[in-house]
């Protein structure tokens, strides 16, 4: 019931915003028509001539201000207008911080450190990205829509070139072919280049990786090709090059993901643990996020907590998987008995408070996730790259973890009751954070590049004026125009007002006449005496 009422409210808001757009256009057209009709009676041409004199004098003042602006910039190194806007006007208007600003901002512990303007919108490889041939292509065959953008696929091509080919000065002939293959936009051209590399060298593991990713139409077929690539990769380790190690790690990880998708979850967990133990310095690949998802599928919550204890550290970078998995574990402990009515009467217990705080922490890190978990927004296939704290990361997390939230009884209900309370803690998220740094203002642009065009990108915070402000502006404009017309044409406006009110109250007069015809005259006489 709550979800349906929430959906009706969202539809009503969207209808009001849609209708307001057209009302503004109609109002603008009426203003233009009124200016055309009243051009001669109001002597607007003479008014424009006097206005041109004012503009001429204003130009002189603007030149003086330009001189002052130049002097202020030379002395303080910043624009006076920009300084006033950033310091005083932006908090009032809810403006977005410029992406070029590199000032100081407070960290969680109160210390000041330089804000990384470039890295705050860094794009990361999705640790749970799907297989192009077996999953993404199947979606295209069924729907006719492309789930991946060219920007996303280009980033993947750059990753593969850097990860698998290594130093360009020591490229073997088959590596040169593969380097070109990753750059091809056409999937068939990439597959043909992979077969060409295999013809040149049957031990080209990168070519088998490409075939497993793009040509294999089932996970079983992809697993077979990855195993063949793994056999070649192990033989290549005798060179002990970074390229061979990177290729081996990638293949083992994808094999573990194949096992997870084929239902051999315990085998997948073992492979991931062995991979993390064998290559502990490759934490940037976020293999622990694959491990967390597999352990949640096994419902091995104690093992999940052990992984979080290692990676949910203040010194390590966070992700939606880390924050929301931690919130899920705490919510799971209390959600089966949680009731909003009972909590409002007796207050929250310590365990419930911990769960609510964990949800607030997760929502502050990525505020886009709850709408996908609560199924208020439709999910799409996750992209191959994500932007931390952005909508792309929210899609990738919810796509794999929605089932785990549904499995924990009452967890989604607790999330539904508490997630919006986060925004009261951080009323100006672009200016100041609570547990994390201020929310980066560049996520919308990057997410639109990563997510397909048919997906409605979630924007936070929403840059829209409240309906009350729009209504007040329209009412003030209408009142000002009525006052101007009444001042210029008092007699005509008096006739218009009389006709308007007589038309407005005509139904009431008609109703009163009918009442008099039905009621006896003595009734009205007695009523007036009372």
């Amino acid at each position: 019931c709550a979800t349906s009422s929430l959906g009706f409210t969202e539809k009503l808001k969207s209808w009001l915003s849609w209708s307001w757009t057209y009302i503004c256009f109609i109002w603008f057209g009426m203003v233009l028509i009124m200016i055309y009709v009243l051009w001669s009676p109001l002597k607007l041409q003479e008014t424009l001539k006097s206005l041109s004199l004012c503009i001429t004098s204003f130009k002189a003042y603007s030149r003086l201000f330009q001189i002052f602006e130049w002097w202020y910039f030379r002395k303080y190194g910043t624009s006076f207008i920009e300084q006033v806007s950033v310091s005083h006007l932006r908090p009032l208007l809810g403006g977005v911080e410029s992406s070029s600003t590199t000032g100081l901002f407070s960290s969680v512990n109160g210390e000041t450190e330089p804000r990384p303007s470039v890295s705050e919108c860094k794009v990361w490889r999705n640790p749970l990205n799907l297989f192009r041939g077996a999953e993404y292509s199947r979606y295209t065959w069924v729907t006719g829509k492309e789930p991946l953008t060219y920007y996303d696929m280009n980033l993947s091509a750059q990753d593969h070139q850097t990860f698998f080919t290594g130093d360009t000065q020591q490229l073997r002939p088959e590596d040169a072919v593969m380097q070109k293959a990753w750059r091809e936009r056409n999937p068939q051209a990439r597959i043909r280049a992979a077969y060409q590399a295999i013809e040149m060298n049957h031990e080209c593991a990168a070519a088998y990786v490409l075939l497993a990713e793009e040509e294999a139409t089932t996970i079983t077929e992809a697993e077979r090709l990855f195993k063949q690539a793994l056999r070649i990769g192990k033989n290549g380790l005798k060179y002990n090059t970074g390229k061979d190690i990177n290729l081996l790690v990638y293949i083992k990880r994808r094999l573990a993901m194949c096992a997870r998708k084929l239902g051999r979850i315990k085998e997948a967990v073992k492979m991931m643990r062995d991979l993390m133990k064998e290559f502990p310095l490759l934490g940037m690949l976020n293999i622990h996020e694959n491990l967390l998802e597999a352990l949640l599928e096994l419902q091995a919550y104690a093992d999940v907590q052990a992984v979080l204890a290692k990676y949910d550290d203040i010194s390590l970078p966070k992700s939606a998987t880390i924050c929301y998995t931690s919130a899920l574990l705490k919510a799971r402990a209390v959600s089966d008995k949680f009731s909003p009515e009972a909590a409002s009467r007796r207050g929250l217990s310590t365990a419930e408070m911990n769960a609510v705080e964990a949800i607030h922490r997760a929502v502050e890190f990525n505020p886009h996730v709850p709408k996908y978990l609560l199924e208020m927004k439709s999910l799409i296939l996750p992209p191959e790259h994500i932007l931390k704290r952005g909508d792309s990361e929210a899609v990738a997390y919810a796509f794999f973890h929605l089932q785990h939230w549904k499995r924990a009884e009452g967890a989604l209900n607790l999330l539904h009751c508490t997630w919006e309370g986060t925004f009261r803690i951080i009323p100006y998220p672009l200016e100041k954070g609570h547990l994390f740094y201020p929310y980066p203002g560049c996520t919308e642009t990057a997410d639109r590049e990563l997510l397909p065009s048919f997906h409605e990108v979630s924007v936070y915070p929403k840059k829209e004026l409240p309906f009350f402000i729009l209504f007040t502006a329209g009412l003030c404009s209408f009142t000002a125009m009525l006052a101007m017309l009444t001042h210029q044409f008092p007699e005509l406006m008096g006739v218009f007002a009389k006709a308007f009110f007589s038309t407005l109250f005509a139904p009431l007069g008609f109703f009163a006449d009918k009442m008099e015809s039905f009621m006896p005259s003595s009734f009205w006489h007695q009523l007036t005496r009372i």
Side-chain angles (χ1 to χ4, degrees), residues 337-349 352-353 356 414 417-418:
K337 300 178 182 178
F338 177 78
S339 171
E341 295 80 10
S344 61
R345 289 195 304 268
R346 58 173 171 78
L348 295 174
S349 64
E352 290 173 339
M353 184 64 70
V356 172
L414 179 60
C417 295
T418 58

Side-chain angles (χ1 to χ4, degrees), residues 227-294:
K227 286 182 177 179
Q228 194 169 355
L230 178 63
R231 177 183 57 80
I232 299 171
K234 286 183 176 179
N235 295 334
L237 268 180
K238 60 186 179 181
Y239 300 104
N240 200 24
T241 62
K243 182 204 72 170
D244 293 328
I245 294 176
N246 293 338
L247 188 60
L248 183 63
V249 171
Y250 183 88
I251 294 171
K252 286 187 174 182
R253 179 183 194 164
R254 295 304 263 179
L255 279 172
M257 294 176 69
C258 288
R260 162 68 183 91
K261 292 176 185 292
L262 293 173
R264 305 195 308 270
I265 306 174
K266 291 184 178 180
E267 178 186 345
V269 168
K270 183 179 183 306
M271 294 173 69
M272 293 172 191
R273 289 187 185 278
D274 292 342
L275 191 57
M276 294 168 63
K277 189 181 299 183
E278 186 177 0
F279 303 100
L281 299 180
L282 294 179
M284 59 182 177
L285 298 178
N286 296 323
I287 303 174
H288 59 275
E289 296 192 10
N290 300 82
L291 179 61
L292 283 173
E293 197 279 327

Side-chain angles (χ1 to χ4, degrees), residues 81-132:
I81 298 177
E82 181 183 359
Q83 186 71 19
V84 172
S85 301
V86 169
S87 302
H88 304 287
L89 298 181
R90 187 181 61 188
L92 298 176
L93 300 178
V96 183
E97 182 178 358
S98 173
S99 59
S100 61
T101 305
T102 56
L104 298 179
F105 67 105
S106 298
S107 62
V108 178
N109 56 9
E111 299 176 356
T112 58
E113 51 187 71
R115 182 171 185 172
S117 60
V118 177
S119 62
E120 66 181 8
C121 282
K122 178 182 177 182
V123 175
W124 297 76
R125 182 82 176 177
N126 182 7
L128 295 169
N129 66 304
L130 305 178
F131 295 87
R132 286 190 186 178

Side-chain angles (χ1 to χ4, degrees), residues 91 94 106 108 324 357 359-368 370 389 418-440 460-462:
S106 298
V108 178
Y324 278 90
E357 289 177 353
I359 290 175
H360 287 176
R361 170 179 178 259
V363 174
E364 181 184 354
F365 182 83
N366 194 316
H368 310 281
R389 309 187 73 176
T418 58
W419 74 279
E420 290 183 325
T422 310
F423 307 128
R424 292 191 291 269
I425 303 175
I426 42 173
Y428 301 105
L430 298 176
E431 308 297 327
K432 185 179 180 181
H434 178 60
L435 297 174
F436 300 99
Y437 295 129
Y439 190 79
Y460 173 78
K462 287 192 173 180

Side-chain angles (χ1 to χ4, degrees), residues 94-390:
V96 183
E97 182 178 358
S98 173
S99 59
S100 61
T101 305
T102 56
L104 298 179
F105 67 105
S106 298
S107 62
V108 178
N109 56 9
E111 299 176 356
T112 58
E113 51 187 71
R115 182 171 185 172
S117 60
V118 177
S119 62
E120 66 181 8
C121 282
K122 178 182 177 182
V123 175
W124 297 76
R125 182 82 176 177
N126 182 7
L128 295 169
N129 66 304
L130 305 178
F131 295 87
R132 286 190 186 178
E135 292 171 308
Y136 287 121
S137 295
R138 184 174 298 178
Y139 177 84
T140 304
W141 297 337
V142 173
T143 64
K145 298 178 181 178
E146 290 291 341
L148 298 176
T149 63
Y150 280 123
Y151 175 72
D152 191 14
M153 291 190 289
N154 185 51
L155 290 176
S156 298
Q158 295 176 13
D159 292 342
H160 292 147
Q161 284 178 310
T162 306
F163 212 56
F164 300 151
T165 57
D167 190 2
T168 57
Q169 296 180 354
Q170 300 178 359
L171 285 181
R172 293 169 291 188
E174 62 272 16
D175 291 335
V177 173
M178 288 306 302
Q179 191 174 39
K180 182 181 178 182
W182 297 121
R183 292 198 301 263
E184 292 286 350
R185 279 193 171 186
N186 188 352
Q188 296 303 319
R190 290 194 291 270
I191 293 172
R192 285 195 300 268
Y195 278 115
Q196 181 184 351
I198 292 175
E199 289 178 0
M200 299 174 67
N201 182 5
H202 291 289
E203 301 296 313
C204 182
Y208 287 101
V209 168
L210 190 146
L211 294 177
E213 292 284 354
E214 309 233 4
E215 189 185 36
T217 56
T218 63
I219 301 298
T220 304
E221 187 179 354
E223 185 181 36
R224 179 182 62 79
L225 290 170
F226 274 121
K227 286 182 177 179
Q228 194 169 355
L230 178 63
R231 177 183 57 80
I232 299 171
K234 286 183 176 179
N235 295 334
L237 268 180
K238 60 186 179 181
Y239 300 104
N240 200 24
T241 62
K243 182 204 72 170
D244 293 328
I245 294 176
N246 293 338
L247 188 60
L248 183 63
V249 171
Y250 183 88
I251 294 171
K252 286 187 174 182
R253 179 183 194 164
R254 295 304 263 179
L255 279 172
M257 294 176 69
C258 288
R260 162 68 183 91
K261 292 176 185 292
L262 293 173
R264 305 195 308 270
I265 306 174
K266 291 184 178 180
E267 178 186 345
V269 168
K270 183 179 183 306
M271 294 173 69
M272 293 172 191
R273 289 187 185 278
D274 292 342
L275 191 57
M276 294 168 63
K277 189 181 299 183
E278 186 177 0
F279 303 100
L281 299 180
L282 294 179
M284 59 182 177
L285 298 178
N286 296 323
I287 303 174
H288 59 275
E289 296 192 10
N290 300 82
L291 179 61
L292 283 173
E293 197 279 327
L295 289 173
L296 285 172
E297 182 64 22
L298 289 175
Q299 302 185 41
Y301 297 110
D303 293 337
V304 172
Q305 186 61 55
V307 176
L308 287 177
K310 180 178 180 181
Y311 290 97
D312 192 6
D313 188 82
I314 193 172
S315 62
L316 297 176
K318 299 295 180 292
S319 66
T321 302
I322 293 292
C323 295
Y324 278 90
T325 302
S326 176
L328 174 60
L329 292 188
K330 293 181 180 179
R332 176 181 165 272
V334 298
S335 59
D336 55 338
K337 300 178 182 178
F338 177 78
S339 171
E341 295 80 10
S344 61
R345 289 195 304 268
R346 58 173 171 78
L348 295 174
S349 64
T350 303
E352 290 173 339
M353 184 64 70
N354 291 336
V356 172
E357 289 177 353
I359 290 175
H360 287 176
R361 170 179 178 259
V363 174
E364 181 184 354
F365 182 83
N366 194 316
H368 310 281
V369 172
K371 286 191 175 182
Y372 293 107
L373 293 179
L374 298 172
E375 297 181 272
M376 299 164 61
K377 283 196 68 176
S378 58
L379 272 173
I380 61 171
L381 295 186
E384 293 184 336
H385 289 80
I386 59 173
L387 180 66
K388 287 192 176 182
R389 309 187 73 176

Side-chain angles (χ1 to χ4, degrees), residues 423-481:
F423 307 128
R424 292 191 291 269
I425 303 175
I426 42 173
Y428 301 105
L430 298 176
E431 308 297 327
K432 185 179 180 181
H434 178 60
L435 297 174
F436 300 99
Y437 295 129
Y439 190 79
C442 58
T443 56
E444 179 184 357
T445 304
D447 279 331
R448 292 190 187 280
E449 295 287 337
L450 291 171
L451 297 170
S453 58
F454 59 83
H455 174 70
E456 182 183 355
V457 175
S458 176
V459 179
Y460 173 78
K462 287 192 173 180
K463 309 171 187 68
E464 59 181 16
L465 289 174
F467 177 77
F468 175 75
I469 294 179
L470 298 174
F471 176 77
T472 305
L475 183 63
C476 291
S477 303
F478 181 71
T479 307
M481 183 161 291

